[in-house]
Amino acid sequence: MQKLDIYYIGGSPCAGKSSVAEILSQKYGLYYFKVDDFLDGYMRAGARKGHPICGKAVRMNAEQTWMREPLLQCREELAIYREIFEFVTADLKRIAWKGGIITEGTAYLPKLMKRSGVPGNRYLSITPTIEFQVAHYRKRDFVPLVLEGCSDREAAFRNWMDRDALFAREVQRQCRNEDSYSVINDGTMELEKMVRLVVLHFGLK
């Protein structure tokens, strides 16, 4: 599979990446590879290989994870994606799908994409505003499960949201530095319009 046959959507959580990727997969016959579906396995693989941040992350419980300072959480999240990137790219190479691949995940940091030689017209990021992010996370059923075991769930949730806001800011900064295409979702853009922007950037026909 040639790199030009792979379309990458990076960004930060709760931005609309999955929704866009699912639509493009169905409309253009692309294989949809969702990094988050394999994230736990990648982190365990990183831990086994001796990657320090992956090793630390897999040993922590919810209290230890979410009650830390958001800036530290963000820095370690970025480090995890650097540590697991080799596993993500290895799995992509194993996919045999003549119609091409659409893949999305927060692991696709602009700096990693540039360093890997991914062409600019095959990568973009989607990040949410903090208001859009928090409003949508509040509606998600899995949030209480993720925070189960935390001594103060509301404080843990705020830390989580602050971490993701910092992560979005860093992705946007990297996009500017690497001249990568960036979409910011504030909730006012219809999904169809966002899909059209992505289609235009990727040159899908």
Side-chain angles (χ1 to χ4, degrees):
M1 179 65 65
Q2 298 296 315
K3 284 187 176 181
L4 289 179
D5 296 323
I6 307 178
Y7 304 90
Y8 300 84
I9 301 177
S12 57
C14 202
K17 302 186 305 299
S18 298
S19 298
V20 171
E22 287 170 2
I23 292 171
L24 296 185
S25 173
Q26 295 168 8
K27 187 172 182 179
Y28 294 96
L30 301 169
Y31 184 99
Y32 177 22
F33 183 81
K34 184 180 177 69
V35 176
D36 281 358
D37 288 346
F38 307 94
L39 187 56
D40 287 345
Y42 290 149
M43 290 170 61
R44 288 194 295 271
R48 289 193 298 270
K49 196 169 181 179
H51 293 324
I53 307 303
C54 284
K56 178 181 177 181
V58 299
R59 293 191 299 269
M60 290 193 300
N61 59 31
E63 175 80 5
Q64 294 167 331
T65 298
W66 300 112
M67 297 307 290
R68 296 175 299 156
E69 287 293 325
L71 183 58
L72 175 60
Q73 291 187 43
C74 180
R75 287 173 176 167
E76 294 194 349
E77 190 80 359
L78 292 164
I80 285 171
Y81 294 142
R82 291 191 293 269
E83 291 183 352
I84 69 167
F85 193 68
E86 60 181 303
F87 308 125
V88 179
T89 55
D91 277 354
L92 282 172
K93 290 177 182 177
R94 295 188 185 100
I95 298 171
W97 189 268
K98 293 181 180 179
I101 301 169
I102 181 73
T103 179
E104 59 87 11
T106 48
Y108 295 130
L109 299 169
K111 286 178 68 173
L112 292 176
M113 296 288 100
K114 193 68 169 286
R115 189 182 307 161
S116 300
V118 174
N121 64 346
R122 289 296 180 267
Y123 170 76
L124 60 81
S125 80
I126 306 175
T127 54
T129 61
I130 182 64
E131 294 81 10
F132 180 80
Q133 169 194 305
V134 173
H136 278 258
Y137 261 118
R138 289 283 188 191
K139 300 174 184 177
R140 296 191 169 183
D141 295 336
F142 65 81
V143 170
L145 299 175
V146 172
L147 299 178
E148 188 173 356
C150 292
S151 56
D152 186 338
R153 292 191 185 184
E154 188 57 34
F157 181 77
R158 289 196 301 270
N159 288 341
W160 182 356
M161 294 301 97
D162 289 346
R163 180 205 71 171
D164 283 4
L166 290 167
F167 190 94
R169 195 179 306 162
E170 172 61 16
V171 170
Q172 292 163 11
R173 186 191 69 81
Q174 289 189 21
C175 280
R176 290 192 297 270
N177 289 348
E178 306 299 338
D179 197 26
S180 299
Y181 188 65
S182 173
V183 177
I184 298 177
N185 185 2
D186 65 0
T188 63
M189 184 187 301
E190 295 290 338
L191 180 57
E192 290 182 3
K193 182 177 179 181
M194 186 180 299
V195 170
R196 287 198 300 271
L197 286 177
V198 176
V199 167
L200 183 63
H201 178 71
F202 286 155
L204 292 166
K205 298 179 180 178

